[in-house]
Amino acid sequence: MRRGANLPWVGDYNQAVVLEGIRRHPGTSRTELAAASGLTLQTVSNIVRRLLDRELVQEGGVPARLRGAGKPRTALSVRPGQALAVGVQFEREHVDAVLLDLAGDVLDSCREQLSDGPATSLHPSPVHATRAVRSLVDGSGNAAAVLGVGVAVPGPLDFTGPVRSSAINLPGWRGVAIADLLAASTGLPVLVENDATAAVGDLWRSPLVGRSFLHLHVGAGIGGGLVVRDEVLRGESGNAGEVGHLVVDPAGPVCTCGAAGCLEAVAAPTAVVRRYVERVGAPRARRAGLVLAEHTVLDDHDRLELLAREGDAAAEAELERAAAALARAVLGVVNVVDVSEVVLGGGGLRRTGERVREAVRRGLAVAMTREVHPVQVRLGEAGELAGALGAASAVLHEALSSTWVGVHGPAREVVISPVAPVH
Ligand SMILES: [Zn+2]
């Protein structure tokens, strides 16, 4: 399923397979690419010639440690700066944007603070996002290499026509045609994804294939991306992965979605900060260093972790309640989908990440598959930029990647397989 707004496609399927092989294996040779892909050496050589002409790959340029000893060969690597993408992520407090290159490295990033909250950040005019995109594109030194803009917004989204947001998470955005608005204001193709997109970033930058994992994103809200055997699980309408709306406490508070006791209503930073204030009162919370403005929720949440470490029992209790709820939800997802990794990310975990990781790890001691395979729990390397990075990766992925074929057995080193394109 391609949802790119006219993203440029670099070539045919076999070309994507070869480019993917070179990208994931810097230093590989034509002979190795042919052996791994099943394409003839002549076909691989022709494709590599085209990629060299388009300056997407180069001969040499491979670090000595990756070159290996022995047989003489011409090592191939991508030219990272020749294909770039911007990723944008909307949070309640700010808009983050990153500039990503073909090698998966973040070249630049910027943040636009939202003074009025998200309701005014995109609609009627996407001023903040446009400014962030323009500053990264202008600063790239190679605007022509920017393939497009990926945007991560809280779901659910309506992908049936021009991508529109739903009112459930962001009341001011009902029916806003996000991609069209931003494409018009930036002049670039725009691809819109929900929070699941953070998982795409993890996928794009991974040297492994055949992975199955949950990417849990804790920002101001909570979302998730599910990947099964390298395929992002989309669901009927592209909205799978709303982990934040798993009910973890039926007696809990009513959620924005209308249900009671959703994970987001119990464990999102907003909920944790609110409960802490209810416990100790606003004056004491302020004296403890909390600011208690809508746009400081993540900072206040960070502050609670510091207070807990200093012995504040109320902060400790509320953070542990949230961590336990997150662990309960993750256990449910792991049991239903059978993943072998849980990646935790987002600004809501920048201070509490280790606490949550430990709670999730403990919770998974009773996972149904525990005697079949371990489930690793780790903090994502992209941290709070995971959504923006994933959105940028999604652009590169849509424009340049082959679709992975199913792999059986544990995640392992990449095997490049030519199959018919599904696009
Ligand atoms: Zn809910």
Side-chain angles (χ1 to χ4, degrees), residues 361-409:
R361 202 189 56 73
R362 281 197 310 271
L364 289 174
V366 293
M368 291 299 286
T369 52
R370 62 187 180 272
E371 293 179 6
V372 183
H373 63 76
V375 180
Q376 291 180 355
V377 184
R378 63 181 173 84
L379 300 176
E381 290 157 23
E384 61 183 312
L385 290 177
L389 209 147
S393 303
V395 170
L396 296 171
H397 194 72
E398 291 274 336
L400 303 170
S401 275
S402 54
T403 302
W404 296 112
V405 294
V407 177
H408 302 285

Side-chain angles (χ1 to χ4, degrees), residues 164-252:
R164 293 179 188 281
S165 59
S166 135
I168 293 176
N169 249 328
L170 295 167
W173 287 23
R174 179 187 284 276
V176 174
I178 304 163
D180 292 355
L181 259 179
L182 266 179
S185 67
T186 63
L188 289 163
V190 173
L191 180 149
V192 175
E193 285 283 2
N194 66 6
D195 288 330
T197 197
V200 181
D202 210 280
L203 200 57
W204 172 258
R205 289 151 58 91
S206 173
L208 299 172
V209 295
R211 294 170 62 208
S212 299
F213 63 96
L214 163 68
H215 191 291
L216 186 72
H217 182 84
V218 182
I222 297 175
L226 278 161
V227 172
V228 179
R229 293 289 175 198
D230 286 344
E231 289 280 348
V232 179
L233 195 71
R234 301 289 186 186
E236 173 70 17
S237 65
N239 286 299
E242 291 285 358
V243 180
H245 299 277
L246 279 172
V247 174
V248 292
D249 177 9

Side-chain angles (χ1 to χ4, degrees), residues 244-246 255-265:
H245 299 277
L246 279 172
C255 177
T256 51
C257 73
C262 288
L263 177 64
E264 186 169 298

Side-chain angles (χ1 to χ4, degrees), residues 18 42 48 93 124 202 211 215 225 253 268-269 296 331:
V18 170
Q42 188 58 50
V48 168
E93 306 172 354
D202 210 280
R211 294 170 62 208
H215 191 291
T296 61
L331 173 64

Side-chain angles (χ1 to χ4, degrees), residues 28-70:
T28 191
S29 67
R30 291 167 177 79
T31 310
E32 286 166 342
L33 286 165
S37 67
L39 298 168
T40 66
L41 184 57
Q42 188 58 50
T43 301
V44 169
S45 296
N46 291 343
I47 291 171
V48 168
R49 170 48 49 201
R50 289 205 298 274
L51 292 171
L52 285 166
D53 288 346
R54 298 185 63 167
E55 300 186 335
L56 283 167
V57 304
Q58 61 190 338
E59 293 179 328
V62 179
R65 67 186 165 79
L66 296 172
R67 242 178 275 148

Side-chain angles (χ1 to χ4, degrees), residues 91-93 118 169-170 217-222 253-256 262-279 285 290 292-302 304 318-319 321-322 326 347-350 352:
E91 285 285 0
R92 289 181 196 167
E93 306 172 354
N169 249 328
L170 295 167
H217 182 84
V218 182
I222 297 175
V254 174
C255 177
T256 51
C262 288
L263 177 64
E264 186 169 298
V266 173
T270 315
V272 177
V273 171
R274 187 192 311 118
R275 281 202 308 273
Y276 177 79
V277 172
E278 284 166 5
R279 266 183 185 238
L290 276 68
L292 304 184
E294 192 194 356
H295 65 281
T296 61
V297 167
L298 293 182
D299 290 339
D300 287 350
H301 188 251
D302 290 349
L304 288 185
E318 293 307 337
L319 289 171
R321 182 179 170 191
L326 286 162
L349 296 181
R350 60 193 181 192
T352 61

